[in-house]
Amino acid sequence: MDFAQVSLCLKGNFLLLAELCLVAGLLVLAASAAPPRWLQSSWRQWLRLAQRPAAALLFPAVLALSLRLLLLPWAEVPYPGSARDEYSYLLSADTFASGRLTNPPHPHFRHFESPHVLFQPTYSSKYPPGQGLALGLGQVLGHPWIGVLLSIAAMIVAAGWAMRAWLPPPYALLGATLLALRVGVMSYWANSYWGGAIGATGGALLIGALPRLIKKPTPFAGAMLGLGLGILAISRPFEGAIFSVLMLCLWAFLFVRHGGWRQLRKLGPAIAGGAVALGIVLVWLGYFQAAVTGDPLKAPYAAWRDTYSRFETFIWETPVADYNPVNEGYARFINWVIESHEEYASPFSRLARIGGQFIAFFWGPMLTLFLVLAVPWIFKELRTRLLLLAIAGSVLVVAVVIDLWTFSHYFAPLTVPMTIAGVQAVRIVIAAMRRRFGGPRPGYVILLFGLPVVLLAMNLTGLFLRNTGRDWTTPTYFTGWCCFSFPSERARVEQTLNASDGRHLVFVRHPAEGFWGAEWVYNGASIDDGKIVWAREVSPESDCELRRYYSDRHVWVTYVHERPAHATPFPVSGCTIPGGG
């Protein structure tokens, strides 16, 4: 291995190693020194805060939002484009913000076909509506990113509520704080429009309601269970269904084990509350799907797949054999996806990728280290053992069934269960330290307060490295930071045209060969009302028809591979355009 390879290896694992070293230092310090008085006083304040439910739930959420807003000078409001999916979610947001469930199909829709968007029988995002509802709320309030921040806050509050049913209040507060710092400030969930927090909120309500239904079944706990299941249905229906079924089976086992069969009658109001909450969400979902696809039982994704998909997402699917895209750009995207299947052709390769995602995103080096240290004890508690079983079962099923790549937000329903397991490991390690060293000497308070500080320091370091403009993708990935979108070349063209007079039609051209990665042909819910309409070239005749349709617009062409990108006047090419253009 030469010097360049060693340098790349060290650079790629810099923050991973730094975080492990800092946590190891905290462990040594905690085992060898008593906490200073000011830290003991802070610990008493922490205990008081943890015993006040409302304040304990709000504190981590306010912390996350405050830190993210303070970082705006260095990490500005994200521009979509880190993933093609973002534009589809923003289309959903624009549709809801316009007061509609879907949009009528465009007469020239072939020019606008792009990944993850349904154009027939209606013009809509292919995704479930949960993320679009959150972004739409943000758009109504001023900007879709406001919806991202609100969904992050809802996730953190729901997580804190759930953890209080699984952990002592101080550790529940610690878990919510770690989640706020790891996911709520720097992750791509908070810095893109790709989603994740909505599904995590549904999983949190589910995991928080089940222990309460065993201890004291109330209509409120039942309603939270039903609401959690409903949120999963409109955000991550497949992965949410797997985890929900496993958790409900394990809950039934615990319920019977705790003598629940003797109080089945007390479960009635809780079941009623859950049925009402879930029923309301499912009825609305059916109404939404009927508006988009014409069938209340057919999801937009299913309609999109029947039209466009030449690849399998699930192992039981059969590709569409007779789809011939009119525009070359979409065809090349589909071919790229098919070729990408080879990289994750086996469930074992997908399981290895998922395992890496779990370590890198949900636990990170810090909680992974504690889980390793806690292995001799963590499986002794029945509830924790069953929770880990549900997590492992969900991951295994997804790895086997989903016949393509996976991303961290696919497993959003597992966010809070994963955090609970990690904090439980911290609790076990601290208990072992107290047994080993005894008395007031062990500085476990140093450890508890040091973990959030280390996590915040690593995230800020990741942000700094990312903003240097160098290739620090790998090290920042281990901080939970991913896919932060600096202004793209599309944004430059958009900014220039928005500052000019009139309205515009922009034909987007791509390289002659290969797949370019980025996609620019996305529009709002009302395509004809947009100041800029992004379109593909289909054929000279069809392009002329589109120009005639938009005869009142300036017509441009831009190239996605040019740096810097710019728009140039589109050649007339024999088209007769009424009114100029």
Side-chain angles (χ1 to χ4, degrees):
M1 180 179 292
D2 58 24
F3 175 78
Q5 291 175 314
V6 173
S7 176
L8 180 63
C9 180
L10 291 175
K11 176 182 175 182
N13 295 281
F14 169 72
L15 290 183
L16 168 65
L17 297 173
E19 187 168 323
L20 286 174
C21 290
L22 288 173
V23 175
L26 284 175
L27 285 168
V28 172
L29 187 61
S32 59
R37 289 187 177 181
W38 66 268
L39 200 55
Q40 295 182 44
S41 177
S42 300
W43 173 247
R44 289 190 290 270
Q45 296 294 330
W46 182 267
L47 291 177
R48 280 195 283 268
L49 176 63
Q51 295 300 329
R52 300 167 59 190
L57 296 183
L58 291 175
F59 169 75
V62 172
L63 176 66
L65 297 189
S66 300
L67 287 172
R68 183 60 188 90
L69 294 175
L70 287 172
L71 291 172
L72 280 176
W74 302 275
E76 59 194 37
V77 175
Y79 183 85
S82 60
R84 290 168 292 277
D85 313 58
E86 290 183 278
Y87 289 109
S88 182
Y89 284 121
L90 288 171
L91 168 61
S92 180
D94 195 26
T95 302
F96 290 131
S98 302
R100 298 187 298 272
L101 295 177
T102 189
N103 308 286
H106 196 279
H108 295 279
F109 72 91
R110 289 295 191 186
H111 286 273
F112 308 122
E113 284 182 313
S114 283
H116 314 306
V117 177
L118 178 68
F119 287 88
Q120 295 289 334
T122 62
Y123 172 44
S124 172
S125 167
K126 78 171 188 179
Y127 290 115
Q131 178 70 1
L133 287 170
L135 298 179
L137 174 60
Q139 183 168 323
V140 170
L141 295 176
H143 195 282
W145 193 56
I146 297 175
V148 174
L149 296 180
L150 292 176
S151 68
I152 289 290
M155 173 192 71
I156 296 169
V157 171
W161 177 79
M163 291 180 191
R164 293 177 74 87
W166 288 81
L167 298 164
Y171 286 94
L173 180 56
L174 173 67
T177 302
L178 292 177
L179 178 64
L181 294 175
R182 182 158 192 83
V183 178
V185 180
M186 308 301 252
S187 77
Y188 76 88
W189 290 13
N191 294 284
S192 74
Y193 305 93
W194 213 353
I198 300 296
T201 302
L205 295 179
L206 167 67
I207 201 72
L210 291 179
R212 290 175 168 90
L213 287 173
I214 293 176
K215 185 177 180 180
K216 185 180 180 181
T218 63
F220 177 77
M224 290 299 100
L225 174 63
L227 181 60
L229 292 172
I231 292 175
L232 291 176
I234 64 172
S235 58
R236 303 301 319 176
F238 176 70
E239 301 89 348
I242 294 172
F243 180 64
S244 298
V245 168
L246 288 173
M247 283 305 304
L248 288 172
C249 290
L250 296 176
W251 171 83
F253 170 77
L254 289 175
F255 187 75
V256 173
R257 182 183 177 89
H258 286 78
W261 60 271
R262 299 189 186 94
Q263 51 177 348
L264 283 177
R265 285 184 297 181
K266 295 182 180 179
L267 203 59
I271 293 176
V276 170
L278 179 59
I280 291 173
V281 177
L282 292 182
V283 168
W284 180 88
L285 180 61
Y287 183 70
F288 165 77
Q289 293 182 166
V292 176
T293 68
D295 184 347
L297 300 180
K298 188 170 188 177
Y301 167 80
W304 174 87
R305 191 210 162 279
D306 291 345
T307 305
Y308 294 105
S309 180
R310 287 185 55 221
F311 54 86
E312 308 91 347
T313 301
F314 301 102
I315 58 175
W316 59 76
E317 290 182 335
T318 302
V320 176
D322 57 353
Y323 171 60
N324 294 310
V326 172
N327 65 71
E328 182 185 357
Y330 200 104
R332 285 156 68 186
F333 164 74
I334 296 294
N335 291 335
W336 170 75
V337 174
I338 293 173
E339 293 170 0
S340 299
H341 267 77
E342 299 177 2
E343 186 177 357
Y344 304 106
S346 74
F348 300 104
S349 63
R350 295 195 294 271
L351 188 60
R353 175 186 171 91
I354 292 170
Q357 288 174 339
F358 268 44
I359 293 174
F361 188 86
F362 291 108
W363 281 331
M366 176 187 296
L367 293 182
T368 302
L369 175 61
F370 280 100
L371 283 160
V372 171
L373 295 175
V375 163
W377 307 281
I378 197 167
F379 295 101
K380 291 184 178 180
E381 185 185 43
L382 178 61
R383 290 200 316 171
T384 303
R385 190 160 66 243
L386 294 178
L387 182 64
L388 291 171
L389 179 63
I391 293 172
S394 301
V395 171
L396 183 61
V397 171
V398 170
V400 171
V401 169
I402 293 185
D403 193 23
L404 196 56
W405 52 65
T406 56
F407 296 96
S408 300
H409 60 278
Y410 287 24
F411 299 95
L414 303 181
T415 303
V416 174
M418 295 278 289
T419 306
I420 290 173
V423 176
Q424 182 74 337
V426 173
R427 182 186 173 200
I428 289 172
V429 170
I430 288 177
M433 291 173 60
R434 296 183 71 176
R435 288 193 301 269
R436 170 66 178 83
F437 298 102
R441 181 187 171 200
Y444 61 91
V445 177
I446 297 174
L447 186 60
L448 287 175
F449 278 92
L451 294 180
V453 173
V454 168
L455 189 54
L456 179 60
M458 291 297 98
N459 280 328
L460 293 177
T461 304
L463 173 60
F464 169 75
L465 294 176
R466 190 66 180 248
N467 281 348
T468 61
R470 298 181 180 180
D471 183 16
W472 285 96
T473 302
T474 300
T476 55
Y477 183 64
F478 283 107
T479 70
W481 180 281
C482 175
C483 306
F484 178 74
S485 298
F486 295 104
S488 69
E489 295 300 318
R490 184 184 191 270
R492 300 180 198 279
V493 176
E494 185 177 51
Q495 185 178 26
T496 301
L497 295 180
N498 277 330
S500 63
D501 296 330
R503 300 197 299 170
H504 310 277
L505 169 64
V506 181
F507 284 96
V508 177
R509 288 181 180 173
H510 301 97
E513 296 180 357
F515 179 64
W516 57 92
E519 179 54 72
W520 291 14
V521 182
Y522 287 98
N523 296 281
S526 299
I527 298 177
D528 293 348
D529 294 334
K531 181 167 183 175
I532 303 174
V533 172
W534 303 85
R536 298 183 189 277
E537 295 174 288
V538 173
S539 67
E541 297 78 11
S542 183
D543 297 347
C544 282
E545 289 182 11
L546 188 68
R547 292 188 63 181
R548 295 188 187 100
Y549 183 84
Y550 291 118
S551 60
D552 61 335
R553 292 176 179 263
H554 303 288
V555 186
W556 309 86
V557 61
T558 188
Y559 300 82
V560 299
H561 59 285
E562 285 189 342
R563 298 293 183 272
H566 62 281
T568 57
F570 191 85
V572 175
S573 302
C575 292
T576 301
I577 310 299

